[in-house]
Amino acid sequence: MVRTMKVNLRKLGIIIALATVLLLGALSLAFFYIDIGITGPAGGEAKAAVVADLSEIPESVAEDAANLAAELYGDCQDEYDEFVNQLLTAYVEAKDQDFLVIFNPGGWGTKILDNSPGWTEICRGIKTELEGLGYSSLVLDYQRTARSLMGINKELVELFSVYPSKAETLARRVEFLTRNVPELKVILAGESIGTVISDTVMAMLRDNPRVYSIQTGPPFWHRQMIQERTLVLDTNGQVPDTFSHGDIPAMLITSLKALFGVSLTEDEEAGRIFYFIRAPGHDYNWQYPGVNLKIAGFLEENFSADSK
């Protein structure tokens, strides 16, 4: 019996060692994997950018895009070409707008705005409020993670190191647009884990007065770096957000209830992280006064005629 236990422990040790090696190998590969993300107008599936009319683009803007892409992806032709196309497409879409809202999704960063009902309504509310203040606006999706195992590995590495490369890529996109569209203002919209990259980009662009951020449901482990020109909501005004406040017991209990088919309250059902973790209160929608009043107040405070 003792001998059998020793054999089983040895097998368990081998399995754990192999799993550790595979995990470390996958994470190591993630450091070398390049995921530039996809930006495009919200309202459809994210896809590779195609510039409709090059005649709309001044030569200086095209050169700026090429230089920026060469700086970031000069050794990778496919990424270089795609990044140039995305920059120029974003320029064409944004050049006649007053505001650009860039949506950073929660979860793994693979989804688009249409797959986030709460923020779909929030973006509609933001556009309506800005229109009431006399401004035009465009909403862009930022799908920062490829739908692949390597993409998820890269996202994990980036998340726990506070998005060093993905935040730089997004920050450089924003710099490019504010540099080439002189009156354009940008609002970085962050949902859940997407607030981390929004906050990191705000820190990188702290000296750019035309960049703002609206964030909902930041993870409890992230400490906000930038308060200037930023609105952070960690409650919808109905119930506290257990994910933002780190109420792990409440999340665990609710997740187990959902797993075993126990009936959930409306608040418990609405709060969801990834596919299986439930977080009561992690639910933000324009219909909640605690959401729409605060966002409308933030926009009026910063962009109404009286604030100028």
Side-chain angles (χ1 to χ4, degrees):
M1 182 175 176
V2 173
R3 183 179 179 183
T4 302
M5 287 182 61
K6 287 183 178 179
V7 171
N8 289 339
L9 287 173
R10 185 166 176 249
K11 288 181 178 179
L12 179 61
I14 292 172
I15 292 171
I16 293 174
L18 287 173
T20 302
V21 170
L22 289 173
L23 177 61
L24 290 176
L27 293 177
S28 296
L29 287 173
F31 283 103
F32 300 99
Y33 176 74
I34 299 175
D35 192 353
I36 69 172
I38 299 175
T39 55
E45 187 63 36
K47 57 186 178 180
V50 178
V51 179
D53 187 356
L54 289 172
S55 65
E56 296 184 55
I57 302 172
E59 184 177 347
S60 60
V61 175
E63 288 180 356
D64 191 10
N67 290 336
L68 181 52
E71 183 180 340
L72 295 175
Y73 307 109
D75 296 330
C76 307
Q77 189 63 46
D78 289 343
E79 285 77 7
Y80 169 89
D81 292 340
E82 172 61 15
F83 196 65
V84 169
N85 284 339
Q86 288 191 27
L87 289 176
L88 297 183
T89 300
Y91 169 80
V92 171
E93 297 285 349
K95 66 183 179 65
D96 297 320
Q97 302 290 336
D98 298 311
F99 278 83
L100 182 65
V101 181
I102 302 178
F103 174 65
N104 292 283
W108 296 113
T110 58
K111 67 180 181 179
I112 58 175
L113 183 62
D114 280 1
N115 300 135
S116 178
W119 258 97
T120 296
E121 293 302 318
I122 290 173
C123 282
R124 286 188 186 136
I126 290 173
K127 286 180 66 69
T128 299
E129 290 296 322
L130 289 174
E131 185 177 348
L133 293 172
Y135 301 109
S136 62
S137 62
L138 170 72
V139 180
L140 285 188
D141 273 312
Y142 178 51
Q143 191 182 52
R144 64 182 181 273
T145 305
R147 296 178 183 273
S148 67
L149 180 59
M150 288 299 297
I152 298 300
N153 283 340
K154 183 70 171 182
E155 175 70 9
L156 277 173
V157 171
E158 288 278 319
L159 172 61
F160 289 106
S161 54
V162 200
Y163 290 108
S165 66
K166 290 188 178 184
E168 181 184 10
T169 298
L170 180 54
R172 302 299 288 276
R173 293 175 193 263
V174 173
E175 282 183 322
F176 169 81
L177 290 170
T178 55
R179 182 165 58 244
N180 289 292
V181 187
E183 300 302 318
L184 182 71
K185 292 182 176 63
V186 176
I187 297 175
L188 297 168
E191 173 195 47
S192 189
I193 291 175
T195 64
V196 179
I197 189 171
S198 294
D199 185 42
T200 305
V201 174
M202 286 298 295
M204 292 178 172
L205 301 180
R206 66 172 72 237
D207 295 326
N208 188 332
R210 288 190 282 136
V211 184
Y212 298 77
S213 183
I214 297 174
Q215 304 168 23
T216 61
F220 63 88
W221 64 80
H222 179 68
R223 292 294 172 263
Q224 202 72 21
M225 292 183 281
I226 295 296
Q227 279 78 43
E228 299 86 358
R229 307 189 306 276
T230 296
L231 174 67
V232 180
L233 301 181
D234 60 5
T235 177
N236 57 22
Q238 309 292 110
V239 294
D241 184 339
T242 53
F243 182 62
S244 288
H245 291 86
D247 190 349
I248 295 175
M251 288 190 286
L252 181 60
I253 292 170
T254 308
S255 299
L256 288 174
K257 284 169 64 177
L259 180 64
F260 290 105
V262 178
S263 179
L264 301 178
T265 67
E266 185 176 341
D267 290 330
E268 290 174 330
E269 184 65 40
R272 184 177 299 208
I273 303 168
F274 298 116
Y275 302 105
F276 49 86
I277 301 176
R278 303 300 178 98
H282 195 62
D283 168 38
Y284 297 84
N285 197 299
W286 191 254
Q287 68 180 338
Y288 299 137
V291 174
N292 64 56
L293 291 178
K294 288 193 175 183
I295 292 177
F298 175 79
L299 297 175
E300 185 169 355
E301 179 184 349
N302 285 283
F303 309 124
S304 70
D306 293 338
S307 69
K308 295 178 182 178

